[in-house]
Amino acid sequence: MASIRTYLQSTIMSKVIMALSGLAVIGFLLAHLAGNLLVFGGPEAINKYGQGLRDLGGLLWVLRGGIVVAFIAHIFTSIHLKQRNASARKVSYANTQPVNSTFASRTMLISGLSILIYLLFHLSHFTWGMVSTKSFNGSYILQDGRIVHDVYAMVVADFQNPIISIVYIVAVTLVMFHTTHAFSSAFQTLGINHPSYNGLIKKAGLGIAILFWIGYVSIPVAILGQFVK
Amino acid sequence: MKLKLHIWRQKNAATSGKMTSYEMDNVSPDMSFLEMLDVLNEKIIERGEEPVAFEHDCREGICGSCGMMINGMAHGPEKLTTTCQLHMRKFNDGDEITIEPWRAEAFPVIKDLVVDRSSFDRIIASGGYVNVNTGGVPDANAIPIGKKVADYAFNAAACIGCGACVAACPNASAMLFTSAKISHLGSLPQGQVERMDRVINMVSTMDNEGFGGCTNHLECEAACPKGISAEYIAQMNRDMMKATFTVR
Ligand code: HEM
Ligand code: FES
């Protein structure tokens, strides 16, 4: 018998790693969305939340480490499996008629890699402050007197730039597409398939994908439309 | 009916092939697809050319040998049907039909529309069996099995190994086939002894034969002439997860 390591490299177990890491990223995106929506609560709400995250200290680094590991695992397994799958059919058909597959399911690697490129821009923008240093370095005085990073002013100032907003909306749209296939697919990969709840999983995946789109897109739209200033 | 056929012609495994077009007149809507090809071959033979090679045996939808890609769909446009059970009434006068062999590195083309599916045999040989004591044949009902379990196992056992799942899958994955074989035995009491070894061995043979992985497009389910559900793939995944951490 070979070792666990060999088994983990099998098509099935690689896909299991991809599903677990992808679900972790979906969980992260749900939490991230809940935090971001505090922008509608005004500067005090979101800046206090931002400071609250920083106050987690070591725990924040554990969470950050976890999400980075999930992303890396997800990207590596996706590329490893894509290579396998591409080499399983080298001569393609003159004619193929898709029946059950969807646009989203056939473009997962493209949507995923585009999200990755956007993610690097997003981090250098809002996390590392390499895109707009001026708005990144603002500070805000909380009601309790603490001086904290002014997340609110940064977000509002930067999304007033239509290019930043449009690129963001495109990226969120790709996340939506990716999620429509990803969520139910992950359950199937993890062996969670039963006629009595498959419909529910499908609907939940669609619901989360739409929630991501409406939730994340509402922020730049509100800022561009001057509802949030 | 008048038809224009575009058929993949390839002399043997060593040469490269190409699509060749043939005109057909007077095709009866009552012919099966294979009978239509028989008529075409008679004409080709009369012209002194090499007939189109295609595989067939039972011609009643149970042996699984008549696989071919018809207009981009495994076994053609009719659901739950093998090529031999597909009839020309499914097509219209004047149609153009493309006919190609299964495409997968694990199914190399032998000639024209005939591919080598022995990779499936090797998957079966690596675990698609149960060990039983020699001696007298055991009574059929010696081990009671509930109706639901029997049905579930039987639906998986309906697989005829035709390869349509591989052909239809964008990744040329053999997971529907392999999972049907694994789940058919793994659902029954007789299959428990080797259950964990079976999934490990059959999955690794499947991977080593060069089939792709599952990305849950579920094209296999749509193409399967026996209507086998991707539920069995989920069961295989569960068994594989368990086996990865428990097998000795
Ligand atoms: C960072 C770049 C990303 C890349 C390169 C990528 C790539 C992929 C690919 C190729 C698949 C396989 C699709 C398939 O099986 O058909 C996939 C599945 C998945 N992705 Fe991503 N993705 C990325 C980001 C994301 C994000 C942001 C999320 C969260 C919304 C996510 C969640 C998932 C989930 C849950 C699956 C399902 C796994 C399964 O089918 O079992 N991915 N990803
Ligand atoms: S010839 Fe046997 S299934 Fe078609």
Side-chain angles (χ1 to χ4, degrees), chain A residues 11 13 16 27 43 45 47 59 77 83 91 108 111 114 117 143 154 164-165 167 173 179 184 203 208 220 227:
Chain A
T11 43
M13 294 310 289
V16 165
N47 289 340
L59 184 60
T77 47
Q83 282 173 339
V91 184
M108 289 299 273
S111 59
S114 313
I117 293 168
Q143 273 161 11
M154 168 181 81
I164 298 253
S165 284
V167 171
T173 307
T179 309
S184 56
K203 281 193 199 126
I208 291 174
F227 302 111

Side-chain angles (χ1 to χ4, degrees), chain A residues 15-16 18-23 25-26 29 71 74-75 78-79 82 105-106 108-117 119 175 178-179 181-190 212, chain B residues 214-217:
Chain A
K15 195 69 202 292
V16 165
M18 181 181 215
L20 291 173
S21 56
L23 287 178
V25 175
I26 290 182
L29 285 176
F71 256 107
H74 193 73
I75 295 162
S78 70
I79 293 172
K82 181 70 198 181
S105 77
R106 290 188 299 269
M108 289 299 273
L109 190 64
I110 300 167
S111 59
L113 289 178
S114 313
I115 294 168
L116 174 63
I117 293 168
L119 179 69
V175 170
H178 201 82
T179 309
H181 178 66
F183 189 78
S184 56
S185 176
F187 281 86
Q188 163 75 5
T189 301
L190 296 173
F212 280 162
Chain B
C214 179
T215 54
N216 303 325
H217 295 291

